[in-house]
Amino acid sequence: EYRALRIPARVSSHAYALTLEKDQVVCVVDVQRNLERYEVGPAHILLEPHEHFKCIVIAAGVPKRDEQLPIAFVRLGPDFMNDSFSVRTKDNALLEVRVMYKWRFLLGDYRQRPELLAKVFCHDFVGFACQSLRSRIRETAARHEFEDFHGRPAEILRSSVFKTKVLPGLAEDGSDVEVRGRFFSDTGLLVFDVDVQEITPVDPE
């Protein structure tokens, strides 16, 4: 927990005052009453001696590796993440692809219903999304010839991996919202853009 918060370990009888930035969220666990509450920034939080933050361990690095980074603060976005992996085209060319995804959480009216934030702390939302997107991108690459995929990878991926749909009740005011991207209902994460930063042939020919 202290590593995730980047603070020194505390004496059990002491309280901590922490500041949340805009759109940061934390889960505070009250061990005496066995309750959880969610705080969204901007806010100042006083952590009592019988309270602690719930931490999750997410994938990190490039390429993404599971269970690398413990975090207690989660940003609701928009934000971005990078990944790299190999793909093989229809004509059997092996490519190394480096991508950047833009994402944000869609959770509905979480300020009035903070329990909606619970799913943010239930899964490794980074690892889950990156694994799923790798699979989709590899399937897409396998349907295209090398020259086509190498020449316009971002255009191809945006049209094949992302879909337009209406998500009921997931706007911040609780209304329906139309989005284009890849939505992960288990975590509430929407990946809404992809940029191919680098694409390199691996095969010598």
Side-chain angles (χ1 to χ4, degrees):
E1 176 183 341
Y2 302 110
R3 178 185 168 195
L5 294 170
R6 296 178 176 85
I7 59 176
R10 64 174 178 170
V11 178
S12 60
S13 60
H14 290 179
Y16 269 129
L18 297 171
T19 299
L20 288 182
E21 298 177 3
K22 186 178 185 297
D23 290 330
Q24 278 187 329
V25 58
V26 294
C27 176
V28 179
V29 180
D30 185 329
V31 296
Q32 286 186 348
R33 296 186 295 168
N34 194 29
L35 296 175
E36 295 181 352
R37 77 174 192 273
Y38 300 92
E39 301 280 355
V40 181
H44 297 284
I45 301 173
L46 181 64
L47 197 67
E48 300 293 342
H50 58 276
E51 294 179 328
H52 67 85
F53 288 115
K54 183 175 184 177
C55 295
I56 57 175
V57 182
I58 63 171
V62 178
K64 287 287 181 285
R65 292 184 298 159
D66 292 338
E67 299 184 351
Q68 294 296 304
L69 181 65
I71 60 170
F73 299 94
V74 176
R75 290 189 178 277
L76 298 178
D79 210 332
F80 68 92
M81 57 189 176
N82 298 305
D83 198 11
S84 68
F85 47 90
S86 61
V87 302
R88 193 174 291 274
T89 62
K90 185 177 181 180
D91 50 351
N92 212 33
L94 184 63
L95 306 172
E96 188 70 21
V97 179
R98 183 184 176 103
V99 295
M100 180 183 71
Y101 304 117
K102 295 180 181 179
W103 59 264
R104 62 189 174 105
F105 282 101
L106 290 177
L107 301 164
D109 190 4
Y110 59 83
R111 294 189 183 275
Q112 295 297 320
R113 298 178 57 202
E115 69 274 9
L116 295 172
L117 294 163
K119 62 172 57 180
V120 173
F121 293 90
C122 291
H123 303 277
D124 173 5
F125 59 89
V126 172
F128 184 75
C130 284
Q131 286 182 18
S132 176
L133 288 164
R134 281 181 192 175
S135 177
R136 295 285 180 174
I137 289 172
R138 284 174 172 144
E139 291 174 3
T140 299
R143 295 195 296 268
H144 290 78
E145 303 285 343
F146 166 78
E147 290 296 337
D148 187 23
F149 188 79
H150 187 266
R152 54 187 190 100
E155 178 187 346
I156 289 172
L157 295 182
R158 288 171 185 145
S159 64
S160 62
V161 176
F162 293 161
K163 305 298 180 185
T164 299
K165 61 170 60 178
V166 175
L167 302 176
L170 291 186
E172 285 194 17
D173 61 0
S175 63
D176 300 349
V177 58
E178 182 176 277
V179 299
R180 180 165 181 80
R182 193 87 192 168
F183 181 66
F184 300 92
S185 57
D186 286 351
T187 61
L189 188 77
L190 172 71
V191 177
F192 61 87
D193 195 14
V194 58
D195 181 36
V196 179
Q197 298 181 313
E198 188 175 353
I199 182 166
T200 307
V202 176
D203 294 339
E205 63 271 19

